[in-house]
Amino acid sequence: MLLDNAKGNYKFVRGYGAPFSSGALANSGFEIVHASFKPLARLTEGYGLIERHMREAGRPLNAVCGIELRIPAALTPAGFDEFNRGYIERLTAWGVMVDGLNPVARTNVAPASSPPLADPSVYGFYYTVPAVGAARPAFVLAGVPEVASREGGKREVVAAGDISLEGLRRKNACILEALSGLLREMKLGWSEASAVNLYTVHDMHPLFASDLLPALGAAAYRGIRWHYARPPVIGLELEIDGYAARQELVLSP
């Protein structure tokens, strides 16, 4: 169910927990800007950089509808909860919560790069602006890992510990089903996406032609951005997100 964030000019889908929403959809007459930092901004400084950019753009912090984070390594569930506490405290201080819910979508992954990432960092963020010309659907989908809901509301990892091709196929199917469901909530489809991001350290190439690209429809013509990274919690192997933004900015910290 889409909830209204009137101050931010977008609607959002409630997330499974407090740390983030599942996705955001710009209101009619508004579009979404995707801004990324090059190089990455350390999280301790990134919040202030987002605040400064929003002031310069003439937009309230309520207009922030998505944040992309990077962490040095995947965390235990307890470590993930601890990380989220500081994140929620900052967003609460921004005054962006809607009836106690966080409307901001999020992707938070651990790059498996060399040299390794030293500190939690901000990769980028999304925000709404008045549309220029004819507005097209604009949305942000939070990163979704291979976790499915079962009877009674219990959530479990799909193909837990299985990184075989068949295991990855099952994980991929679970994620695409969840993301497609979010798009249906927004009355949209993959064809509106301007970018799809894949996060994993495993070889997904054998599944591109048979499983992944066909599910994306026309969005497949734009390609897939493969980030060599792990989901934020130990035991998860794959994550996917996507968005539709007319403007892409690269900011220097």
Side-chain angles (χ1 to χ4, degrees), residues 25-87:
L25 172 68
N27 286 348
S28 177
F30 287 82
E31 60 188 51
I32 288 176
V33 176
H34 176 223
S36 58
F37 290 112
K38 184 182 179 182
L40 299 184
R42 286 188 298 179
L43 184 58
T44 52
E45 302 166 354
Y47 294 122
L49 293 170
I50 293 173
E51 293 166 7
R52 185 180 72 184
H53 179 80
M54 296 301 287
R55 287 195 301 270
E56 292 173 348
R59 296 294 290 153
L61 285 170
N62 304 87
V64 175
C65 56
I67 293 181
E68 298 165 302
L69 302 181
R70 300 292 186 264
I71 53 177
L75 302 167
T76 63
F80 186 64
D81 290 342
E82 177 62 28
F83 176 87
N84 287 328
R85 273 192 280 274
Y87 176 77

Side-chain angles (χ1 to χ4, degrees), residues 195-214:
V196 177
N197 295 303
L198 171 73
Y199 309 91
T200 188
V201 298
H202 304 295
D203 185 7
M204 291 289 292
H205 183 262
L207 298 177
F208 270 43
S210 60
D211 293 65
L212 186 51
L213 294 177

Side-chain angles (χ1 to χ4, degrees), residues 11-163:
K11 295 176 175 59
F12 65 99
V13 180
R14 180 175 183 170
Y16 290 108
F20 46 85
S21 75
S22 293
L25 172 68
N27 286 348
S28 177
F30 287 82
E31 60 188 51
I32 288 176
V33 176
H34 176 223
S36 58
F37 290 112
K38 184 182 179 182
L40 299 184
R42 286 188 298 179
L43 184 58
T44 52
E45 302 166 354
Y47 294 122
L49 293 170
I50 293 173
E51 293 166 7
R52 185 180 72 184
H53 179 80
M54 296 301 287
R55 287 195 301 270
E56 292 173 348
R59 296 294 290 153
L61 285 170
N62 304 87
V64 175
C65 56
I67 293 181
E68 298 165 302
L69 302 181
R70 300 292 186 264
I71 53 177
L75 302 167
T76 63
F80 186 64
D81 290 342
E82 177 62 28
F83 176 87
N84 287 328
R85 273 192 280 274
Y87 176 77
I88 290 297
E89 287 174 1
R90 188 58 178 254
L91 267 62
T92 300
W94 279 0
V96 302
M97 299 298 176
V98 177
D99 295 331
L101 299 176
N102 182 2
V104 182
R106 191 181 83 181
T107 294
N108 180 23
V109 294
S113 56
S114 181
L117 190 66
D119 302 292
S121 302
V122 181
Y123 177 90
F125 61 103
Y126 304 81
Y127 61 94
T128 61
V129 296
V132 177
R136 297 181 60 84
F139 64 85
V140 181
L141 301 178
V144 172
E146 70 275 25
V147 178
S149 296
R150 302 305 185 196
E151 291 185 11
K154 181 181 178 181
R155 289 171 60 75
E156 64 179 40
V157 178
V158 172
D162 185 357
I163 56 172

